[in-house]
Every structure is written in structure tokens, then in C-alpha cells.
Amino acid sequence: MSSFQTEVLVPESIEADDERRDGIRHIARQHVALNFRGIRLICDLVDLSESGAKISVGDGIVPNVGDRIALTLFDGTMLDGTVTWLRDKHLGLEFLYPVPNVDERLDFENLGREFFGRAVTLQKSTRRP
């Protein structure tokens, strides 16, 4: 009986799809608006970095890998990006341009009553004109 060796086809150094971003990830539990292919959804932002984001989506229509999207953060910041991966109920986005001051985009402690105004504005951004 002869023995044989198998080659490792996928190097162990390759990271999981959602571990590819170099920037510091800021945990973010907030709603965001996701626009793609004429579809507008409210989703949950899981984390945010200068170069991308992880989004949690519900059941239903989701973008495909490679789709261009427009993401609106709770503070009104609009970001353009591309879907780089899909897994379970999450997707990864890579932004076309770096997001400056990520931590400031996620801080709502001083909004007071304006918090609710921003929530309504975000919801309205998903309505069809």
C-alpha cells in the first residue's frame, strides 16, 4: 500500500470573509438604511470601520456580492460601497472612500430629543418618492 500526501488548497493564513478589514472596528448597534437595485431597507449596523461595515439583514431580499449600495447611517452620513460577502443574515460592505471620524458617527449620547428626529429621517429615507 502506498501512502500519499495531500496539499493544503486553502492556506490557514486566509482570514474569514468578515475579518478582512484592516481598520479598527467600532461596535455599532444602530439602524441604517440600505439602498440597492431600487430597493430600500432598514437594517442593523453591527460594526463600522473606516473602510467597511458589517450589516445584519432580516429575511427577504438582500443584495448580491458585487452589488453597489448606498448606506445611510443614523446620523445622516451617506456612504457608497460594494457588497464583498454574504453569510447567514449578515453582509460585508467595502466603502468607496474612507469614513472619517468613525467613533463620532456612532455617538448619540448628546442628541436628546433630536435622537427621535433622526430616527424618523432614517425611516423616511427608505420610502419611495
Side-chain angles (χ1 to χ4, degrees):
M1 210 175 205
S2 64
S3 64
F4 62 94
Q5 272 190 313
T6 59
E7 291 182 40
V8 176
L9 299 177
V10 180
E12 292 179 8
S13 62
I14 291 181
E15 299 175 359
D17 286 338
D18 59 347
E19 299 298 324
R20 290 189 284 187
R21 280 182 277 151
D22 293 330
I24 297 172
R25 294 171 192 211
H26 299 265
I27 301 299
R29 302 287 184 216
Q30 64 174 259
H31 295 299
V32 294
L34 190 66
N35 298 310
F36 61 97
R37 289 184 273 144
I39 300 165
R40 302 170 185 183
L41 302 173
I42 296 288
C43 302
D44 294 316
L45 180 65
V46 176
D47 68 42
L48 181 69
S49 72
E50 288 182 353
S51 61
K54 181 177 182 180
I55 308 289
S56 176
V57 294
D59 292 329
I61 299 171
V62 296
N64 297 315
V65 171
D67 278 356
R68 293 281 305 267
I69 59 91
L71 178 70
T72 305
L73 299 179
F74 192 81
D75 73 348
T77 301
M78 297 182 73
L79 304 166
D80 291 318
T82 303
V83 177
T84 57
W85 58 266
L86 297 167
R87 185 171 40 256
D88 300 322
K89 293 186 178 189
H90 294 92
L91 59 92
L93 302 177
E94 180 179 7
F95 300 134
L96 296 179
Y97 305 101
V99 179
N101 307 316
V102 172
D103 53 340
E104 292 177 17
R105 309 235 179 280
L106 304 174
D107 183 13
F108 304 111
E109 289 183 19
N110 298 321
L111 285 180
R113 291 188 296 178
E114 190 179 336
F115 178 86
F116 296 104
R118 296 236 177 130
V120 170
T121 300
L122 184 69
Q123 290 174 343
K124 286 181 178 179
S125 76
T126 64
R127 293 186 186 152
R128 296 191 186 269

